[in-house]
Amino acid sequence: MSTRTHSGHVVDQFGAQASAYVTSAVHAAGADLDRIGALVRGLPGAGVLDLGCGGGHVAFAAAAAGASVTAYDLSSEMLAAVTAEAERRGLDRIATRQGAAEALPFPDAAFDAVLTRYSAHHWRDVPAALAEARRVLKPDGLFVVCDIVAPEEPLLDTHLQAVELLRDPSHVRDYRVSEWRAMLEAAGLVLGDTRAYRPRMDFASWIARMRTPEVNVAAIRALQGSAPVEVTEHFCIEGDGSFLLDSTLIEARPR
């Protein structure tokens, strides 16, 4: 029986694989990341918080677009990898800070934009983190969340959460779009543009990034193999286990 806390799981899972997330093709590019860069370019001289920065790809895009960026993450190893990659790219406007999304060590109204991508499904308390994001955001600021989302249909939702948790014990939940809308509104944010994407997960690299144990890999493949046709078709599950996910980018501003 594990005695690690959820935070411990996050640090254990991501610290050892920091470099893999810096180089991950899924995380390093995409139309969603292009959109984030375009939004930051519309905020000249902005101060930006990359909340749950992971491999730093939002931070890199925002810094390249002219922002001063604070890359914030729970994993010190991940932050060290971000610093090294920023130096390699010649990006000198990125600072790092360590901590949890639910307790931000910044004053009120400190940032012009708070951005988070592919991180929130690991947060233990998303409403608390959103309240903190709203607190540190300027009254005319921009909040952007991009994350994997669960389909609204329970059959599809259940399959997704099961394979995610088998792959990664730090997984909490891929929220439905309807859940995201409710949580953002409850945090005092007014929803703006919403965009949908369907990234493809190459099974071998998806598993390798999390060092998923073979017994769990076998369980995932068994779930895929026994899944009803509705699940197989929605996720476009391939013969080798590769599949498509749903992701959504939501823009919001303080009420």
Side-chain angles (χ1 to χ4, degrees):
M1 180 179 295
S2 174
T3 59
R4 284 178 292 180
T5 64
H6 174 257
S7 294
H9 271 304
V10 172
V11 170
D12 288 348
Q13 289 296 109
F14 289 93
Q17 293 296 92
S19 62
Y21 275 83
V22 171
T23 59
S24 165
V26 171
H27 295 80
D32 57 338
L33 197 58
D34 294 339
R35 176 60 178 169
I36 289 171
L39 288 168
V40 174
R41 283 192 293 275
L43 302 170
V48 169
L49 175 64
D50 181 1
L51 182 55
C53 67
H57 300 294
V58 167
F60 304 148
S68 296
V69 184
T70 300
Y72 184 81
D73 202 87
L74 193 60
S75 167
S76 59
E77 292 91 346
M78 198 70 83
L79 293 174
V82 170
T83 297
E85 180 65 11
E87 291 175 355
R88 190 189 71 79
R89 297 187 185 200
L91 298 171
D92 59 1
R93 305 183 71 181
I94 298 176
T96 61
R97 191 79 178 266
Q98 185 179 7
E102 296 87 351
L104 301 181
F106 308 109
D108 295 356
F111 297 98
D112 298 289
V114 176
L115 315 172
T116 184
R117 177 176 180 256
Y118 293 163
S119 176
H121 58 276
H122 296 288
W123 300 348
R124 184 174 176 180
D125 189 339
V126 170
L130 292 179
E132 278 288 87
R134 171 66 181 84
R135 179 184 65 78
V136 303
L137 191 61
K138 291 181 179 178
D140 60 348
L142 172 68
F143 179 79
V144 178
V145 57
C146 180
D147 204 8
I148 302 303
V149 291
E152 297 290 334
E153 185 178 345
L155 173 67
L156 305 177
D157 184 337
T158 297
H159 176 86
L160 176 62
Q161 309 303 338
V163 298
E164 286 269 53
L165 190 57
L166 282 168
R167 173 194 178 238
D168 173 13
S170 74
H171 175 75
V172 176
R173 176 165 176 77
D174 294 323
Y175 295 91
R176 303 174 185 179
V177 172
S178 59
E179 291 174 309
W180 268 116
R181 290 181 177 276
M183 290 189 294
L184 290 166
E185 290 171 356
L189 294 162
V190 178
L191 278 66
D193 191 29
T194 299
R195 303 183 181 214
Y197 307 95
R198 296 216 79 195
R200 178 181 179 273
M201 298 295 110
D202 173 76
F203 190 82
S205 57
W206 183 68
I207 291 300
R209 277 197 300 277
M210 284 289 96
R211 300 169 298 152
T212 305
E214 284 300 321
V215 64
N216 290 34
V217 174
I220 293 169
R221 295 295 283 130
L223 281 177
Q224 290 179 326
S226 63
V229 67
E230 294 90 344
V231 169
T232 301
E233 290 182 350
H234 177 84
F235 293 105
C236 301
I237 299 173
E238 302 171 26
D240 69 349
S242 301
F243 60 98
L244 300 185
L245 284 173
D246 300 285
S247 73
T248 294
L249 184 150
I250 302 175
E251 302 167 24
R253 294 186 179 272
R255 184 178 299 124

